[in-house]
Amino acid sequence: MEALRDSDPAHIGAHALLARLGAGGMGQVYLGRSPGGRLVAVKVIRDEITGHPEALARFRREAGTIRAVRSAYTANLIDASLAEPPFWIATEYVAGPTLAHAVGRGGALPAATCRRLFAALAEGLGSVHAYGVTHRDLKPQNVILGAQGPQLIDFGIARGVGDTVLTQDGQAPGTPGYTAPEVLLGAVAGAAADVFALGATLAYAATGRPPFGGGPAAGVGYRAVHEPVDLAGVEPELAALIGSCVAKDPAARPAPAEVVRRCGVRDALVDDPLYAGLGVLGEAVPLHEMRTRGPGLPSPSPSAPSPSGSGWRRTVVRAAAGTALALVAAVAVWRLPSGGGGGAPPDGAKGPAAGARAGAPGAGGTPSPVAPPVFIRQTAPNFDAFDPTLKSGGCTTTVDETPRTAFAISVTTAAGDPVHQVAAGTVEIGYRVKQAPPDMPPYYVAVVVKPRHEVGPDGRSTAVTENRQLGFVAEARNVYAGVGTKWKYVTYPDDFSMLLDGKRVKAPPLAQDPGAWTVVFRHATSDTDHKSVWCTGFDSGP
């Protein structure tokens, strides 16, 4: 997601535009908001091709295909304007990264996740085929990993049973590396060609590499026709299933229903912890109602929020609330690239600069000279606050950054978990990494516990009710250090302190400030550079 540019319109039809989602061969795709507040994806055909009869016919056919296919695996058509320029279609907005982006950032998916994804996509493909439609351009870029499961997008060259074949400049439809051999040799793309593309797409997911290599399109196409798909390192049974889908002979490829059966999955893809960690909740959307700049609109005042400001990159995260006395939450969150600081949301938005990350490569591949963090300290007013009265529990502020890896988090009070007992007057806070790939750069997390009221240098509560202090902190730890993915724990108040007016103040007892306390996990690249990645809390009692 990218900020709108000055050249972008403020509205398309009745839809206010909020951001850019991407661009394709046909045109630009925007994130929009309908008059009733519904988020939509608005695809606008490019001005330079509006006069091209074939391109316009292709665009109109895409709208017709989306309207005709009512599937859980495709976004529904909301609105369209196909009579006169500007030509556009609006569909449901599906939050989440594309499969191409998720694998490109995080690497190949494990076999178990691939099987679940394989089955879900095959079921979706079968659903589309049941409407008499072939997609003809299935590839990782056209699969969105949504919260309810994968979605197939971009039916720009899809074809119904009675449709006339539309090609572009005599080229075969589809994308090199995912287009079936028979289509490259001049045959019409049928359902079996979609199965080939499905197999090639899963080959990419399982290896992280283009299924038939890279380079010029002609070379990729030659290999797709004459050479085997790249499945080096893929688990044998999964490789066999992918191999059958990309068989050179279309008659030898299994039907989508057979692919589902051979995947043998017994649980939902959305329950796969790694899938949940790929960013399927999507990015935060712009919070403002409409454009503040653009053609025909006045420039914003100096105090007006910028569309490209940090609020665009923040995700509102709210922990699931437990009882008044205990909270045990296990939450999967975004996994970001192994070399990053964790701030880049899916598909195009830019994250924070990488130069100051502890342990991250600097110029020329050398480690950054910044020392690893120990005890983080406050550099600005902090407004993190846990509010148990919220409908689902959680914090009233947004997190600053999405984590690099998937975490499980627990917060347990003395009266909480009867099995995992905690001493009276203490809170045990635990976290673990759900996966620890080898050779991951350090990722330091500091746990912060914040009472309801600010404290003075003596550690006693003050009359200030809106606590703008950072809170009491535990020593920052590299989440990948230690044994595998074992839990790491810190205990309040024993492991916590605060640097206040140059003096280290020990954490006070819970009984000093009864009520809702806030717990924040902060990614730290130094003692003064740290950003919240998760916020929750607990009630210390009356």
Side-chain angles (χ1 to χ4, degrees), residues 73-74 94-103 109 117-118 120-122 124-125 135 137-146 149-155 178 194 197-202 204-205 269 275 278 280 347:
Y73 299 92
T74 60
V94 181
T98 65
L99 176 61
H101 196 77
V103 173
L109 305 181
L117 179 62
F118 213 163
L121 287 175
L125 199 57
H135 189 286
D137 199 19
L138 177 58
K139 56 186 176 182
Q141 293 90 332
N142 285 344
V143 174
I144 292 182
L145 305 179
Q151 296 269 306
L152 300 174
I153 63 169
D154 200 348
F155 284 79
Y178 301 92
D194 278 352
L198 174 65
T201 295
L202 264 295
Y204 171 78
L269 174 64
Y275 181 80
L278 292 176
V280 300
D347 290 345

Side-chain angles (χ1 to χ4, degrees), residues 240-258:
L241 179 54
I242 294 174
S244 67
C245 290
V246 296
K248 306 303 183 186
D249 180 3
R253 298 171 200 152
E258 176 65 11

Side-chain angles (χ1 to χ4, degrees), residues 70 78 83 116 193 245 321 440 491 495:
R70 307 288 293 181
I78 302 299
R116 296 184 180 103
C245 290
M440 290 290 280
T491 301
D495 299 326

Side-chain angles (χ1 to χ4, degrees), residues 56-391:
L56 187 55
R58 193 188 307 275
F59 192 70
R60 285 172 172 158
R61 192 172 70 184
E62 179 177 9
T65 300
I66 297 172
R67 180 182 286 113
V69 177
R70 307 288 293 181
S71 170
Y73 299 92
T74 60
N76 290 326
L77 185 71
I78 302 299
D79 196 2
S81 176
L82 304 172
E84 58 185 15
F87 301 104
W88 55 268
I89 56 177
T91 63
E92 292 177 300
Y93 170 63
V94 181
T98 65
L99 176 61
H101 196 77
V103 173
R105 294 195 322 181
L109 305 181
T113 303
C114 281
R115 284 194 181 87
R116 296 184 180 103
L117 179 62
F118 213 163
L121 287 175
E123 185 176 66
L125 199 57
S127 175
V128 170
H129 289 173
Y131 285 89
V133 172
T134 51
H135 189 286
R136 302 208 307 164
D137 199 19
L138 177 58
K139 56 186 176 182
Q141 293 90 332
N142 285 344
V143 174
I144 292 182
L145 305 179
Q148 304 302 317
Q151 296 269 306
L152 300 174
I153 63 169
D154 200 348
F155 284 79
I157 60 173
R159 182 169 181 261
V161 173
D163 287 338
T164 302
V165 176
L166 293 175
T167 59
Q168 185 173 358
D169 299 327
Q171 298 177 0
T175 300
Y178 301 92
T179 302
E182 67 272 18
V183 179
L184 293 171
L185 295 174
V188 174
D194 278 352
V195 173
F196 180 94
L198 174 65
T201 295
L202 264 295
Y204 171 78
T207 66
R209 301 184 297 270
F212 293 96
V220 174
Y222 178 88
R223 290 190 289 273
V225 173
H226 299 287
E227 297 180 7
V229 67
D230 176 10
L231 293 173
V234 178
E235 187 268 332
E237 289 187 7
L238 177 61
L241 179 54
I242 294 174
S244 67
C245 290
V246 296
K248 306 303 183 186
D249 180 3
R253 298 171 200 152
E258 176 65 11
V259 174
V260 175
R261 186 193 69 79
R262 289 177 61 179
C263 285
V265 299
R266 299 191 177 187
D267 47 10
L269 174 64
V270 294
D271 293 330
D272 185 306
L274 190 139
Y275 181 80
L278 292 176
V280 300
L281 295 181
E283 297 178 62
V285 300
L287 299 180
H288 50 272
E289 289 293 330
M290 61 182 62
R291 296 278 319 278
T292 56
R293 289 186 296 172
L297 293 178
S299 299
S301 66
S303 61
S306 168
S308 60
S310 60
W312 284 54
R313 297 194 300 270
R314 295 183 178 178
T315 302
V316 178
V317 181
R318 291 179 177 171
T323 65
L325 294 177
L327 169 68
V328 179
V331 186
V333 290
W334 291 348
R335 185 183 67 176
L336 296 186
S338 60
D347 290 345
K350 296 181 179 179
R357 293 195 301 268
T366 58
S368 167
V370 178
V374 183
F375 281 99
I376 64 173
R377 59 183 186 269
Q378 185 163 355
T379 59
N382 180 272
F383 299 94
D384 293 331
F386 173 68
D387 184 358
T389 66
L390 292 175
K391 185 176 180 180

